[in-house]
Amino acid sequence: MKRKSSLRVQLVVILLAFVAGLLSLVYFVQTTFLDDFYKTNKIKSIENVGRDVATLVGDSDMDETIEHVAMSNEVCIRVVSNNESYSYTGACTLRGLDNMTINRIANEVANTENSEKLFDNFHYQRRPDEKPEDVYIFAKLFEINTEKVMVMVSSGITPLNATISTIKSQYLIIAGVVVAMTIVLALILSRFIVKPIKQINNESKNLSKGAYDGNNVKPSSEEFVQLNTTLINANEDILKAEKAKKELLGNVSHDLRTPLTMIVGYGEMIRDLPEENNEENINVIIDEAKRLSTLVDDLIDISKMDSISVELDRKPSDINQLLTSVYHQYELYCRNQGIDLKLQLSDAIEAELDEKRIRQVLYNFVNNALNYNDKADKQIIIGSEKNGEFYRIFVYDNGEGIDEKDLKNIWDRYYKVDKQHRRHHIGSGIGLSLAKELLLAHGFNYGVDSKKGEYSKFYFDVKAL
Ligand code: ADP
């Protein structure tokens, strides 16, 4: 597998790429558009000042106010009326304009639609020996009591090349600082993320031994708390499974040993005492051998389910026929044992299922119904009933029932309510977890209704074809 770079490196690279992108964007905007921004703002500013001043002309304190406006906006203002003219602010560009130029400007403004005009890049030369200057001039023409008045506002255009180059050199320093800060930030962030991951990774090496210790992990966020909890739970499950496996092995060996002892004992007896060679004794050997065979079959099934998903051979099946056949299987045994076994059928329906597997489920249910019942008047019902849009197939017994707290667990592999091992009449007793796997594979809803000391009713629901 290709080796991946560490989370820390990835985080640094991602953050650096992000910051570099951001810095380039700001750099581009600053150096490319700064000049345009500056010019647009300057023009807007002198236009606004010009319009404001036009409203002030004629006021008694006009001189003072206009002077103030000129100073605070760093512009030059000149108001011309009937050739009488005033200039405001110190070294004002407009002060030196001769009458001819002013008249030229006034004529141009008079020809515009709303009597105002912006002259950009106006070449202005204060004296013949001086270098001409580029200025913006905004001029507005209006009348007060038939007197013609023109307000002119101007501002010099400062070349921004020097500013831009200052920004560029400052930029290098800023970029350096930001990059260094980003690396530090990425390292701090990665510490928060990487440290708990490393701790969890180290601890999880003990998981297979069931020795994961959540206390050795110091989670830095809720997600790590959750991951840690999940692994603590998995660890508990592993320990539980380990314990249950040992228990199961003990039980299975017991189940294997009992029939084997009987087979060997009866075999030897028949060999040594020819008069004991009768049908009854031989049937004991056959029955015990059958029990062994069932046990081995169940063990093979359960080990298969660990490795591959159950493969089903589904076919439309006559439910009543299936239930009747299961009933007949137990009929003789129950009659001999004085057990009241009943068959209770609902509508004749067909459902799609793997008959062999479902038969196995039903055998498990019936075996349990026989095993967990110490009452004198044992009663078992194998049946089906309509349940909404489904048909419920069930095995009912009036046996010892199941405590509510155990109801959820009895389907778990290895779970036994009664920890004391008992010898079952038929089957191995790994039953319900096997039944659960088979019913899940079919996609059938399944469950149990029970009341401790009174009854149990194990069921699953099939859909009629
Ligand atoms: P086992 O029979 O070997 O214990 P199962 O998986 O068949 O294994 O059953 C799990 C547990 O569920 C049993 O130990 C038993 O306590 C309980 N149980 C199953 N069927 C019944 C029943 N019909 N009545 C009462 N308890 C039952």
Side-chain angles (χ1 to χ4, degrees), residues 66-67 70 74-79 86-97 124-126 130 133 135-137 152-156:
I66 294 180
E67 175 108 39
E74 292 182 327
V75 290
C76 170
I77 301 171
R78 186 164 170 181
V79 182
Y86 307 93
S87 281
Y88 301 93
T89 76
C92 182
T93 334
L94 297 170
R95 195 191 295 264
L97 288 187
Y124 169 70
Q125 197 164 12
R126 211 178 290 247
E130 271 185 19
E133 217 185 300
V135 293
Y136 290 131
I137 296 179
M152 289 186 286
V153 183
S154 85
S155 165

Side-chain angles (χ1 to χ4, degrees), residues 368-369 372 397 400-402 410 415-418 424 428-433 456 458:
N368 281 345
Y372 300 102
D397 70 80
E400 63 192 49
I402 301 158
I410 52 169
Y415 189 86
K416 275 181 158 278
V417 175
D418 177 8
H424 298 156
S428 67
I430 313 166
L432 288 183
S433 70
S456 302
F458 283 82

Side-chain angles (χ1 to χ4, degrees), residues 83-338:
N83 288 335
E84 193 189 336
S85 60
Y86 307 93
S87 281
Y88 301 93
T89 76
C92 182
T93 334
L94 297 170
R95 195 191 295 264
L97 288 187
D98 53 39
N99 278 351
M100 212 173 79
T101 315
I102 290 177
N103 282 334
R104 182 168 60 84
I105 292 177
N107 280 339
E108 277 192 43
V109 175
N111 283 335
T112 62
E113 207 174 301
N114 44 3
S115 303
E116 52 179 52
K117 184 169 174 158
L118 175 86
F119 298 84
D120 55 359
N121 292 337
F122 190 94
H123 289 292
Y124 169 70
Q125 197 164 12
R126 211 178 290 247
R127 276 194 300 270
D129 55 331
E130 271 185 19
K131 235 173 82 189
E133 217 185 300
D134 276 342
V135 293
Y136 290 131
I137 296 179
F138 174 73
K140 186 173 174 64
L141 208 57
F142 56 99
E143 275 184 23
I144 299 178
N145 306 330
T146 66
E147 187 184 6
K148 275 201 160 62
V149 182
M150 182 164 75
V151 169
M152 289 186 286
V153 183
S154 85
S155 165
I157 311 169
T158 318
L160 287 183
N161 293 348
T163 318
I164 290 174
S165 82
T166 315
I167 290 178
K168 278 183 181 168
S169 56
Q170 272 186 353
Y171 215 80
L172 275 179
I173 302 171
I174 295 173
V177 173
V178 171
V179 166
M181 278 165 61
T182 309
I183 293 175
V184 173
L185 180 74
L187 291 179
I188 294 173
L189 269 180
S190 74
R191 217 180 125 76
F192 269 104
I193 302 170
V194 172
K195 210 173 163 192
I197 291 182
K198 276 193 171 159
Q199 289 170 341
I200 290 178
N201 190 29
N202 279 341
E203 259 320 300
S204 27
K205 286 176 188 145
N206 302 326
L207 193 62
S208 59
K209 290 174 259 159
Y212 181 90
D213 186 355
N215 292 325
N216 289 341
V217 176
K218 303 275 169 282
S220 57
S221 67
E222 182 52 33
E223 287 76 9
F224 288 124
V225 173
Q226 282 171 13
L227 179 59
N228 197 28
T229 315
T230 308
L231 290 173
I232 291 172
N233 292 341
N235 193 63
E236 276 168 19
D237 287 348
I238 287 171
L239 286 177
K240 248 196 258 169
E242 201 57 42
K243 191 166 159 254
K245 213 163 160 182
K246 278 190 194 136
E247 237 176 69
L248 176 82
L249 266 179
N251 291 349
V252 169
S253 353
H254 180 271
D255 274 343
L256 284 172
R257 195 176 306 125
T258 320
L260 281 174
T261 313
M262 302 268 274
I263 291 168
V264 174
Y266 272 73
E268 283 174 350
M269 184 173 75
I270 291 167
R271 183 195 63 200
D272 299 340
L273 307 168
E275 68 274 18
E276 291 295 336
N277 187 352
N278 56 37
E279 195 183 335
E280 197 185 338
N281 287 342
I282 288 172
N283 275 344
V284 171
I285 295 178
I286 292 170
D287 285 349
E288 293 300 322
K290 276 185 184 159
R291 197 192 326 273
L292 272 182
S293 165
T294 315
L295 175 63
V296 170
D297 282 350
D298 277 359
L299 284 174
I300 289 170
D301 273 344
I302 211 139
S303 70
K304 258 194 217 154
M305 274 171 210
D306 277 339
S307 51
I308 45 163
S309 56
V310 191
E311 267 180 39
L312 297 177
D313 180 18
R314 282 184 226 238
K315 286 192 186 104
S317 303
D318 183 325
I319 294 293
N320 284 355
Q321 210 172 57
L322 174 66
L323 293 177
T324 310
S325 142
V326 174
Y327 169 80
H328 285 316
Q329 198 76 26
Y330 287 89
E331 198 186 9
L332 187 67
Y333 174 82
C334 288
R335 199 184 309 138
N336 286 342
Q337 300 286 320

Side-chain angles (χ1 to χ4, degrees), residues 248 251 255 364-373 395-403 406 409-422 424 428-435 448 450 452 455-458:
L248 176 82
N251 291 349
D255 274 343
N364 272 315
F365 286 174
V366 180
N367 291 344
N368 281 345
L370 288 166
N371 292 337
Y372 300 102
N373 194 341
V395 175
Y396 165 95
D397 70 80
N398 65 341
E400 63 192 49
I402 301 158
D403 216 324
D406 294 316
N409 301 325
I410 52 169
W411 302 91
D412 289 351
R413 177 86 45 93
Y414 317 126
Y415 189 86
K416 275 181 158 278
V417 175
D418 177 8
K419 290 285 164 189
Q420 269 194 336
H421 183 71
R422 4 171 148 203
H424 298 156
S428 67
I430 313 166
L432 288 183
S433 70
L434 199 67
V448 56
S450 182
K452 184 81 186 150
Y455 72 93
S456 302
K457 182 178 175 185
F458 283 82

